Amino acid sequence: MTKSSNAHKKLNLLQVYRGIAALLVVMFHINQMSTERLNQVTFFNLFQAGWSGVDYFFVLSGFIMVYVYCRLCSVGLSVR
């Protein structure tokens, strides 16, 4: 396995983690809306801390952007 394909697989795994974080946020909002509008708790409050998915999503997104930018700069490509 080459170094490039290994890095690509790790980046894909981070994309999966971003997707999970986004789903946590969506489930949190569904839970909040059902509690407020329907006056019943869905998902047994499993997603009470779903708001932390926003922070997790943005941290991962920032890391991915910096990682890609640094790789482009190290190859000699300019980012404009």
Side-chain angles (χ1 to χ4, degrees):
M1 186 180 310
T2 65
K3 187 176 182 180
S4 177
S5 73
N6 192 20
H8 185 66
K9 285 184 180 180
K10 288 181 183 178
L11 200 58
N12 283 340
L13 185 60
L14 290 179
Q15 295 285 15
V16 170
Y17 291 153
R18 283 179 61 211
I20 291 170
L23 283 174
L24 280 173
V25 173
V26 169
M27 297 307 285
F28 172 75
H29 285 291
I30 289 173
N31 192 33
Q32 288 297 104
M33 285 178 30
S34 69
T35 302
E36 292 171 4
R37 295 183 184 195
L38 302 175
N39 206 17
Q40 66 184 24
V41 178
T42 55
F43 306 117
F44 307 107
N45 281 331
L46 292 175
F47 301 102
Q48 264 183 315
W51 55 268
S52 63
V54 174
D55 297 334
Y56 188 58
F57 179 84
F58 282 118
V59 167
L60 286 173
S61 297
F63 175 79
I64 290 170
M65 286 188 290
V66 169
Y67 179 80
V68 170
Y69 178 75
C70 288
R71 288 194 67 199
L72 289 175
C73 290
S74 69
V75 176
L77 298 174
S78 63
V79 182
R80 292 184 195 188

